[in-house]
Amino acid sequence: MAEKDKTIKKKKEVVPKEVTICEATAQMLEKAKKDGVETAFDRAADMKACPIGADSACCKHCAMGPCRLTSKEPYAKVGVCGADIDTIMARNFGRMVACGTASHTDHGMVMLNLFREVIQGNIDDYEIKDPIKLKSVAESVGIETDNKTTLEIAEELYIELEKTYTQIEGEIPFAKRVPEKTLELWRKQGIVPRGAMREIMEMMHRTHMGVDQQYENLTKQISRTALADGWGGSMVATEISDILFGTPSPVAIEVNMGVLKENKVNIIVHGHEPNLFESMLVSANSPTLIQAAKDAGAEGINLVGMCCSGAEMLVRHGVPHAGNFMSTEAVLVTGAVDALCVDVQCIKQGLSKVAKCYDTPMFTTNPQCHIEGAEHIDFKEHSPLDCADEIVIRAISRYKSRTAKIEIPNIVNTGVHGFSHEYINYMLGGTFRGGYTPLNDNIINGRIRGVAGVVGCTNPRIKQDWVHVELVKELIKNDVLVLQTGCSQIALAKAGLTSPEAACMAGPGLQEVCETVGMPPVLGIGACVDNSRILVAAAEMVKEGGLGDSIADLPVAGTAPEWMSEKAIAIGQYFVASGVYTVFGVTFPIVEETKFHELLFEGLEEQGMGKWGYAVDPYEIARLMIQHIDKKRKELGIDKTRERILVDMADRRELEVA
Ligand code: NFS
Ligand code: SF4
């Protein structure tokens, strides 16, 4: 006993205000402390990240190892099989990309299966909500739509898009959306994806012990796999979800924990696949269940989102959003959640324990994702309301017998989200001048310096939301228009930067454009799979003309400054392979001064693609992105216009003052 005691180390204290800038989360972390409840913030303080793993300098691909290449000189040591540091890092990176791609792609496949069942008439609970989108997606992959019914188009589209997954040879259907010069480069490099299943399988095979042991060759398959995500699995997920559930257009939104209501039955949906959430929306609006909630003494049913399915429902229907990845446990600490239902991805196992502490029933719904301590109710697409109704009923009964002390942070922030690439086109062009011309024009004339995609997670290794918010402020101040997805956009929404009024925080050029159009300087466009919307927008910008011939020519940059998931790495790689300079924060799984590092951070750009960047500090990330945007402006010969416009504006202001 005495010996055991010696090993008990005192846990590091977490100071809430130091680990997050989200006030509601900080308030709940204080409460959690009082309640004796542990969260990922506590565990992160207590768990020192393994430095060898953080550098990706270890391999456990076979039982001769695990091998750790710990020497200061990266090439001084090799694994038992002789694998060198480049092979080991590239293989690890490849497996991260394979897993991230598999996650998005499997999600996309679920949407596609649902689409098939709907068009075959096997499911009545869902329908084709957006036939216009259906037609335009079909046309974009070369399907003739004249004189065809919606159903006929849908059938053909299904057959075509299935290739995104199952095709053994040939190019995935959405390769047809890629700008010619970008596609040509991919063909030259041999990295146009075939079907995602094939690419993921090949990635896994090539990273097995004793197969591909040349980092450049491995990197080609890494790019091909990632592209099967961005222009494949993720894009199918986005497009089919739009067809089935509606294409987002601007909608007023509310975020933060104040969206929970003490006098209502609060139900949280957390995960990634919109079908569960769509059905929960139906159940939560059912008059019978609303009556049941009222009979239980509640004023009604309050359905709220978290993380990515929350982000999808936010942009598509304006469903309120309680918080991003690092707030998920804190939301439960309010004691106000009457049911937490989840499907797949980014659901911390720790949630089930926190839920228990506050008597919140937690339900898993997807056969792929059961969680110890949570109850499983299978969600079946052919009878989705069985599961959804059951969860609502269980939430009502929890409401009736609430015992947990309730404390809801009184903070609600508002904004406008829902900027699909179709809407950006419409918004900037208006009905008569639809198209990306005005966006390109404003970039060419210098009012908008460039476009940045700021995306990704929050991570307890870094102050929650802080890097996202500081970085985006810096970007818009410098006239960079920001597009956002995933948990990042929730950070910015909480900071008030997704409301049109935030235009006053933008530089003079961007501010003028925002005020003219009535849009915020930060455009929330959806979940992480909806990063595919950014790819489509980039392709449209190239097609519009005036900004070069390939995505790599555009004055754009991307970042996931607080990333944590393998999905984020897959996203980063498909942006890089598509031609975008992409800066990651927190940490990067690589050893510097190696050939693999050189390839990712420089070599790929020399080959005509984008490249990776890395910085932790938000101002440094912004500086790197702006520097890249300016480099691209210079190469396009439009650097001078910007100087002129800024001078013009200064003159005008002086005139106004006079
Ligand atoms: Ni994206 Fe969404 Fe959030 Fe990160 Fe997770 S919820 S798919 S991975 S943590 S942004
Ligand atoms: Fe070690 Fe090579 Fe086996 Fe990896 S594959 S664990 S480097 S012996």
Side-chain angles (χ1 to χ4, degrees):
M1 203 47 204
E3 229 189 275
K4 220 176 178 185
D5 283 347
K6 259 194 272 167
T7 65
I8 298 174
K9 274 198 310 203
K10 200 173 169 317
K11 291 198 168 187
K12 277 202 197 107
E13 249 322 272
V14 167
V15 182
K17 292 265 183 205
E18 286 174 8
V19 296
T20 179
I21 60 160
C22 171
E23 279 178 41
T25 302
Q27 185 184 333
M28 287 303 101
L29 291 181
E30 288 292 355
K31 180 170 185 286
K33 233 198 266 185
K34 273 187 251 147
D35 298 345
V37 171
E38 186 194 80
T39 70
F41 287 103
D42 302 300
R43 292 186 292 272
D46 205 42
M47 172 97 61
K48 194 175 173 304
C50 165
I52 309 162
D55 279 353
S56 200
C58 54
C59 175
K60 54 181 173 64
H61 292 195
C62 89
M64 294 188 282
C67 301
R68 290 170 301 166
L69 272 53
T70 47
S71 160
K72 280 228 156 38
E73 209 315 300
Y75 292 98
K77 221 173 160 187
V78 293
V80 175
C81 66
D84 67 11
I85 187 76
D86 293 313
T87 296
I88 287 175
M89 293 188 303
R91 281 198 305 218
N92 291 341
F93 202 77
R95 288 204 172 180
M96 290 180 91
V97 167
C99 184
T101 300
S103 307
H104 290 139
T105 303
D106 205 19
H107 164 176
M109 190 151 197
V110 168
M111 292 303 114
L112 198 63
N113 284 341
L114 181 61
F115 182 56
R116 183 196 59 233
E117 291 297 281
V118 168
I119 56 187
Q120 288 182 352
N122 299 329
I123 294 185
D124 314 317
D125 292 87
Y126 306 102
E127 60 182 353
I128 293 175
K129 277 233 178 74
D130 193 342
I132 298 172
K133 174 98 189 204
L134 170 77
K135 194 160 166 263
S136 82
V137 176
E139 283 165 2
S140 78
V141 292
I143 293 171
E144 190 53 68
T145 58
D146 284 352
N147 306 320
K148 282 185 191 153
T149 65
T150 297
L151 193 61
E152 284 165 345
I153 300 171
E155 280 164 352
E156 278 187 52
L157 181 64
Y158 172 77
I159 292 168
E160 191 59 23
L161 290 189
E162 200 188 50
K163 294 180 188 161
T164 306
Y165 303 90
T166 54
Q167 183 171 264
I168 292 167
E169 287 301 342
E171 299 178 349
I172 50 168
F174 284 134
K176 294 194 182 70
R177 290 177 160 186
V178 179
E180 198 50 44
K181 203 175 145 207
T182 305
L183 188 59
E184 249 171 52
L185 175 73
W186 294 355
R187 285 184 181 139
K188 203 175 95 209
Q189 298 259 348
I191 60 168
V192 188
R194 295 158 294 182
M197 287 174 171
R198 172 123 206 225
E199 301 313 347
I200 295 163
M201 178 170 68
E202 186 170 322
M203 189 78 257
M204 294 309 286
H205 174 200
R206 281 165 68 167
T207 53
H208 185 274
M209 186 272 148
V211 187
D212 203 350
Q213 290 157 96
Q214 209 280 328
Y215 70 99
E216 286 167 300
N217 204 42
L218 273 163
T219 302
K220 285 193 177 162
Q221 184 58 21
I222 293 173
S223 293
R224 181 146 67 162
T225 306
L227 291 171
D229 177 352
W231 298 87
S234 281
M235 202 170 275
V236 170
T238 297
E239 303 300 53
I240 295 295
S241 300
D242 281 358
I243 291 168
L244 291 176
F245 308 125
T247 305
S249 62
V251 55
I253 56 99
E254 289 189 343
V255 295
N256 220 326
M257 290 185 213
V259 301
L260 295 171
K261 301 293 170 221
E262 181 151 8
N263 49 11
K264 286 191 176 175
V265 177
N266 295 304
I267 303 174
I268 296 222
V269 188
H270 166 24
H272 284 78
E273 293 172 358
N275 45 354
L276 167 71
F277 211 146
E278 292 282 342
S279 295
M280 289 298 300
L281 197 57
V282 175
S283 291
N285 283 306
S286 124
T288 328
L289 291 173
I290 293 175
Q291 192 51 51
K294 288 188 173 155
D295 293 344
E299 269 179 24
I301 300 170
N302 184 31
L303 191 66
V304 169
M306 282 197 312
C307 282
C308 272
S309 44
E312 277 205 48
M313 298 304 275
L314 183 83
V315 301
R316 211 170 262 128
H317 308 297
V319 173
H321 197 289
N324 60 23
F325 180 67
M326 277 318 293
S327 298
T328 53
E329 289 162 308
V331 171
L332 296 179
V333 176
T334 60
V337 182
D338 297 302
L340 167 65
C341 63
V342 302
D343 53 20
V344 289
Q345 299 175 17
C346 300
I347 301 147
K348 300 188 195 88
Q349 186 170 347
L351 283 170
S352 71
K353 252 193 177 166
V354 182
K356 226 164 232 124
C357 294
Y358 296 96
D359 292 324
T360 293
M362 174 170 172
F363 303 103
T364 54
T365 59
N366 191 303
Q368 295 177 341
C369 171
H370 288 224
I371 292 177
E372 193 67 34
E375 186 182 332
H376 189 79
I377 304 179
D378 225 20
F379 175 80
K380 296 198 175 73
E381 285 163 345
H382 295 82
S383 52
L385 296 183
D386 293 353
C387 168
D389 286 353
E390 170 75 13
I391 291 169
V392 176
I393 291 165
R394 298 285 293 276
I396 295 171
S397 89
R398 191 276 187 177
Y399 179 91
K400 232 187 326 196
S401 54
R402 275 183 186 176
T403 49
K405 194 173 160 290
I406 291 172
E407 178 185 334
I408 301 172
N410 188 18
I411 309 172
V412 176
N413 311 100
T414 57
V416 178
H417 290 230
F419 297 91
S420 51
H421 59 83
E422 288 87 351
Y423 198 83
I424 294 176
N425 175 327
Y426 167 77
M427 168 178 70
L428 289 162
T431 29
F432 300 109
R433 275 181 75 204
Y436 275 70
T437 320
L439 176 62
N440 282 25
D441 282 353
N442 277 309
I443 292 174
I444 293 165
N445 70 28
R447 280 191 185 85
I448 296 176
R449 189 176 198 152
V451 180
V454 181
V455 307
C457 328
T458 51
N459 182 326
R461 301 264 170 229
I462 207 134
K463 197 175 198 172
Q464 183 195 7
D465 296 346
W466 180 71
V467 191
H468 289 295
V469 172
E470 288 305 306
L471 156 73
V472 168
K473 279 192 202 156
E474 202 61 22
L475 290 172
I476 62 170
K477 198 166 84 191
N478 284 285
D479 292 319
V480 176
L481 175 67
V482 174
L483 307 183
Q484 284 212 292
T485 61
C487 290
S488 181
Q489 88 192 289
I490 305 304
L492 271 298
K494 287 188 290 181
L497 269 88
T498 59
S499 80
E501 290 73 44
C504 67
M505 295 170 81
L510 179 60
Q511 186 177 345
E512 194 190 335
V513 175
C514 289
E515 281 168 357
T516 311
V517 182
M519 70 178 194
V522 179
L523 306 179
I525 64 175
C528 279
V529 287
D530 298 328
N531 282 320
S532 61
R533 299 191 201 276
I534 302 183
L535 294 178
V536 177
E540 293 286 329
M541 284 165 72
V542 174
K543 256 181 242 154
E544 199 60 60
L547 292 174
D549 309 319
S550 76
I551 296 177
D553 294 336
L554 295 172
V556 303
T559 179
E562 301 184 23
W563 76 280
M564 65 88 199
S565 81
E566 289 173 312
K567 290 179 287 174
I569 289 286
I571 291 167
Q573 184 66 28
Y574 73 61
F575 271 108
V576 168
S578 298
V580 181
Y581 175 49
T582 305
V583 188
F584 268 37
V586 193
T587 179
F588 203 95
I590 204 161
V591 176
E592 283 180 26
E593 285 163 35
T594 54
K595 288 183 274 182
F596 183 56
H597 184 276
E598 229 253 353
L599 178 62
L600 294 193
F601 285 71
E602 279 167 47
L604 292 178
E605 188 179 48
E606 285 155 21
Q607 293 170 16
M609 289 182 252
K611 64 175 176 184
W612 284 91
Y614 168 65
V616 180
D617 177 67
Y619 313 106
E620 176 61 9
I621 298 175
R623 191 189 66 78
L624 289 169
M625 293 170 80
I626 293 166
Q627 193 180 48
H628 178 82
I629 285 170
D630 284 350
K631 181 177 92 177
K632 291 294 163 186
R633 293 189 67 88
K634 195 154 186 219
E635 285 169 10
L636 289 165
I638 55 171
D639 47 331
K640 295 284 180 297
T641 54
R642 203 177 134 68
E643 285 160 27
R644 211 160 41 235
I645 193 123
L646 292 179
V647 172
D648 277 0
M649 279 173 185
D651 285 353
R652 196 174 337 143
R653 256 197 310 273
E654 251 165 52
L655 280 176
E656 279 165 11
V657 173

